Amino acid sequence: MKILYGVQGTGNGHISRARMMAKYFTEAAKTKTLEVTFLFTGRPEDQFFDMECFGDYLHREGLSFVSLGGEVHYGKTLYANKHIKFIRDVLRLDLSSYDLIVSDFEPVTAWAAKLQGKKVLGIGHQYAFAYDIPLAGASFLSQLIMRYFAPSSINIGLHWHHFGKTILPPIIDTELKARPTDGHVLVYLPFEDQEKVSALLRCFPNQKFIQYSPELSNRTAGNIELRQPSHSGFKRDLSAAKSVICNTGFELISECLQLNLPILTNPLRGQMEQLSNAEALQQLGYATTLNMLDRNAIAQWLALAEKPPSITFPNVAKALVNWLIQGDLDNPEQLCQQLWNDFNISHAQNEAPVISLG
């Protein structure tokens, strides 16, 4: 079986999911005739890091989004993307030798499959929006993007709850365990102005923060450890954290829930997915949400932060790989039921309600 697996690389969440899938594809290939090629788009090739697990992967420029100051800028997004090159890459991608095409919201792979009449399996959080789930910040443009950016024939959506639909739990590293050490707060706000983020964090000199962003260099500045992205380093600091401040992307929050970490999250303005994630987190009682980064709100959360419910997600990546190899792609319902049966959640007694700030 020969698979082409497209991954949108603008955010690290898609890549984190792909790492777990690659792990179990590699295991399956020991006993099955299986060849998986990954194709990444969404950022320059030299900005990908720690990619050894993907072997000889492919890269195309693809499409991405431009954000400024914590908000999606659609005008600059339209101008920054090279649309002619994208079309050329779609037309030149030969899929004739592949038995299965998978897309984690990756547009080159998805559109090439559509034009060549091949079935494409969409696996990712964005594909959950094909169903009736919590929605916020939706516009005609955002809904068009969600539907046509990376179209699929079969949707395998991922979310923190099934909402009564054929939606799977998140794909995460289920071996990730909390190992709290020095009580730091991990901060990952890649869409924000990092100098402004650091200035906010300096307002709390008695609290240690570890701030990650591609824009930073590795150094210490008072109560803040500044770090460049590193897969192993980030996982180590996340596991050791006492809480997390982040934007409202799907993958990191899924890992925080698995680690039972208090979450303060600020959705990227103008981005329907993140605004909808914030809405879902409020409905589920899983996190504290902000409308904008604010000193007083952060101070209140640092003083009163409550842990989310204790959650254990099943090993979705392993189950998905086995399901893909079996080839019964038109019937995901049994897989969905099996995985949610393995999902565990427990609420603390007298748990304080999760609040929305800002």
Side-chain angles (χ1 to χ4, degrees):
M1 187 178 193
K2 190 173 180 182
I3 299 173
L4 179 65
Y5 199 120
V7 182
Q8 171 66 14
T10 300
N12 288 321
H14 301 269
I15 302 172
S16 294
R17 283 197 289 273
R19 290 184 196 281
M20 297 313 303
M21 295 296 287
K23 174 182 177 179
Y24 291 105
F25 278 132
T26 300
E27 283 190 10
K30 294 175 182 177
T31 57
K32 309 281 186 180
T33 303
L34 179 66
E35 179 182 342
V36 182
T37 300
F38 287 88
L39 185 150
F40 293 88
T41 67
R43 70 173 81 168
E45 189 169 10
D46 61 2
Q47 291 183 16
F48 288 92
F49 56 91
D50 298 335
M51 300 288 282
E52 294 79 10
C53 66
F54 299 112
D56 295 327
Y57 64 89
L58 305 176
H59 176 267
R60 302 292 187 274
E61 189 160 335
L63 300 173
S64 189
F65 297 92
V66 176
S67 63
L68 294 172
E71 183 172 2
V72 172
H73 197 294
Y74 286 104
K76 290 186 180 295
T77 294
L78 184 64
Y79 178 78
N81 282 297
K82 299 177 182 177
H83 304 285
I84 294 176
K85 189 175 191 308
F86 168 73
I87 293 171
R88 187 181 300 123
D89 285 342
V90 168
L91 295 176
R92 290 178 176 176
L93 185 62
D94 182 8
L95 304 179
S96 59
S97 65
Y98 294 100
D99 302 302
L100 176 63
I101 311 300
V102 179
S103 172
D104 186 340
F105 212 53
E106 195 293 297
V108 173
T109 304
W111 276 103
K114 187 175 182 67
L115 293 177
Q116 294 176 41
K118 280 188 168 280
K119 185 181 294 185
V120 57
L121 180 66
I123 299 177
H125 178 52
Q126 286 81 0
Y127 295 107
F129 288 89
Y131 303 98
D132 182 16
I133 63 172
L135 194 65
S139 66
F140 179 71
L141 177 59
S142 64
Q143 289 179 315
L144 277 180
I145 291 171
M146 195 64 73
R147 183 173 180 180
Y148 293 110
F149 185 83
S152 61
S153 313
I154 303 170
N155 295 316
I156 302 294
L158 310 171
H159 216 307
W160 303 306
H161 191 272
H162 53 73
F163 302 104
K165 312 298 179 183
T166 309
I167 296 172
L168 306 188
I171 294 173
I172 64 165
D173 180 359
T174 55
E175 296 179 2
L176 193 64
K177 304 297 181 185
R179 298 179 177 86
T181 53
D182 56 2
H184 68 260
V185 177
L186 186 140
V187 180
Y188 183 59
L189 296 160
F191 302 109
E192 310 290 340
D193 183 316
Q194 296 305 305
E195 291 186 5
K196 291 182 179 179
V197 172
S198 296
L200 268 176
L201 302 181
R202 283 195 293 270
C203 295
F204 309 98
N206 295 323
Q207 174 61 60
K208 178 181 176 181
F209 297 93
I210 299 181
Q211 178 183 349
Y212 271 89
S213 171
E215 300 175 23
L216 301 174
S217 56
N218 293 325
R219 60 190 180 89
T220 301
N223 63 320
I224 311 170
E225 296 282 342
L226 303 170
R227 304 268 171 87
Q228 286 189 325
S230 161
H231 176 64
S232 59
F234 188 88
K235 295 295 185 187
R236 180 189 62 244
D237 291 334
L238 178 63
S239 296
K242 74 172 187 179
S243 56
V244 173
I245 301 174
C246 60
N247 290 121
T248 322
F250 180 69
E251 197 68 18
L252 174 55
I253 289 178
S254 300
E255 293 174 335
C256 292
L257 293 174
Q258 176 81 3
L259 294 170
N260 196 219
L261 294 175
I263 305 161
L264 178 65
T265 183
N266 181 48
L268 180 61
R269 296 185 300 281
Q271 217 266 19
M272 185 189 80
E273 180 198 351
Q274 292 212 2
L275 292 167
S276 299
N277 287 348
E279 176 67 22
L281 289 168
Q282 285 184 254
Q283 290 187 22
L284 295 167
Y286 285 178
T288 303
T289 62
L290 288 172
N291 291 328
M292 64 176 59
L293 291 173
D294 174 82
R295 175 180 176 177
N296 292 332
I298 293 174
Q300 181 181 352
W301 177 77
L302 286 172
L304 302 174
E306 295 286 336
K307 287 190 174 185
S310 180
I311 291 173
T312 304
F313 290 115
N315 193 333
V316 177
K318 185 174 184 178
L320 257 177
V321 167
N322 291 335
W323 179 74
L324 290 177
I325 292 171
Q326 290 169 7
D328 191 20
L329 304 185
D330 292 315
N331 295 292
E333 291 80 9
Q334 185 175 352
L335 172 67
C336 180
Q337 183 175 356
Q338 168 203 328
L339 288 169
W340 285 110
N341 285 342
D342 293 338
F343 169 81
N344 291 305
I345 181 169
S346 61
H347 295 264
Q349 290 184 347
N350 302 318
E351 184 177 283
V354 177
I355 56 176
S356 175
L357 301 172

